[in-house]
Amino acid sequence: MQSKSFLSEYKAYFIIGFLFILLTYWYFFLATIADIGYVFNFTLQMLQGNFTGQLVPFDSLTHYQQMEVGLFGPNYDAIAPEVIRAFEERQHLLPLVFLVEFFLFLTMFIVAKGRKQAHITRASDTVQVYSLFQRVVILLNIIVMAYLFITGFSITFGNVTGGGSMARYMRATHEIVGLGWIPIWLIMTIIAFKDHKYFVRPSTKLWNSIFLRGTYKHMDRINYYAYVAFGATLVFSGFIIWFIVPDSATHAEFIQFKRFILFFHFLGSAIISFFTFETVYSMFAAVKGYIPGVVTGKLPVEYLDQLRPDVLEEEALAN
């Protein structure tokens, strides 16, 4: 067996980490839609138990201003501009966020070898790779995430697309479908956890019908953990945004907290989109035959032998 150096073995982590740092810096300090200084200070205040959004010391206010804050929440000028004004002033930069991601993604795969295709001579010689449960979860995850991306973009670029009944419908369904994605994301997170070689398996057949087979390569593992981390960001922030429904009795600090969470919801969507593009490409476009395999649950032995030998190894151990 040929030994690999530490750098060559984990170069995917270093490359993605470096690109991620550049993308994060560019997004946070050049193209962000919020005032990062305020977001940072607001976070520090919340860690100290202050969720009001009132960053100006309460004791420094006049008695009348203190009465206003106590009755209506922090003054509008103290809490609104950092998110709302910044969003309005910088919304034209939002397409650049995804444009940079797209070209970054495109550049990575221009350098790659292109589409892989297995040479199949015995198409009928197949192995059951995905159970019905796994296929339903995978396909639901693909369909729901695609819909959330489409409707989410319609909200993000609302100033460009305009209003109307269609925009209102897409916004409303984005929230409802997003709630439905929460259990799908959680189940997908569990069944796609492949770094479980030390787990006890009381029943291999039952195990393989729940957890996906095979092992992760480095880039696949990066995509998985990005899906878990930023999917969690979207799930929790989306639920909070949906749960906090303002009315005439809602204090300003709740609205500000909702804006604060909305910023992180967009941040999660901007980052997870890159890894989603990579996953979709590497599984659906770069490898011919993956989609039929997910639909039927079966893949030819030759396909697995050439492109997914890790699955065949696990199948051999199971038998």
Side-chain angles (χ1 to χ4, degrees), residues 27 33 94 97-98 156 261-271:
Y27 172 75
I33 61 172
L94 293 180
V97 174
F98 297 97
T156 301
I261 296 299
L262 181 61
F263 168 71
F264 283 95
H265 191 73
F266 175 78
L267 174 66
S269 66
I271 296 176

Side-chain angles (χ1 to χ4, degrees), residues 135-288:
R135 279 144 47 200
V136 169
V137 173
I138 292 172
L139 293 174
L140 275 177
N141 189 55
I142 294 169
I143 295 170
V144 171
M145 284 194 70
Y147 187 80
L148 289 176
F149 270 118
I150 294 171
T151 54
F153 283 139
S154 74
I155 298 172
T156 301
F157 304 125
N159 283 6
V160 178
T161 58
S165 57
M166 179 60 72
R168 185 169 178 236
Y169 173 80
M170 295 182 79
R171 178 184 291 271
T173 55
H174 180 84
E175 294 184 350
I176 299 301
V177 175
L179 290 176
W181 184 61
I182 293 177
I184 297 174
W185 166 82
L186 181 60
I187 295 172
M188 191 69 201
T189 295
I190 294 172
I191 69 173
F193 180 66
K194 295 184 180 181
D195 294 334
H196 47 50
K197 59 182 179 180
Y198 298 112
F199 288 11
V200 177
R201 307 185 186 191
S203 170
T204 302
K205 183 178 181 180
L206 177 61
W207 181 279
N208 288 338
S209 66
I210 298 175
F211 291 93
L212 300 181
R213 298 187 184 190
T215 57
Y216 280 130
K217 295 180 180 178
H218 292 310
M219 192 62 215
D220 297 328
R221 184 176 289 106
I222 292 173
N223 288 337
Y224 169 73
Y225 285 112
Y227 172 83
V228 174
F230 297 107
T233 302
L234 292 174
V235 163
F236 289 109
S237 61
F239 179 81
I240 294 173
I241 293 168
W242 168 83
F243 185 77
I244 301 178
V245 180
D247 57 28
S248 58
T250 305
H251 278 199
E253 59 263 30
F254 288 98
I255 305 300
Q256 185 60 4
F257 180 70
K258 186 173 182 177
R259 293 171 182 150
F260 175 80
I261 296 299
L262 181 61
F263 168 71
F264 283 95
H265 191 73
F266 175 78
L267 174 66
S269 66
I271 296 176
I272 201 175
S273 61
F274 172 81
F275 295 99
T276 302
F277 294 155
E278 201 285 330
T279 301
V280 169
Y281 178 87
S282 61
M283 290 187 174
F284 287 82
V287 181
K288 185 177 181 181

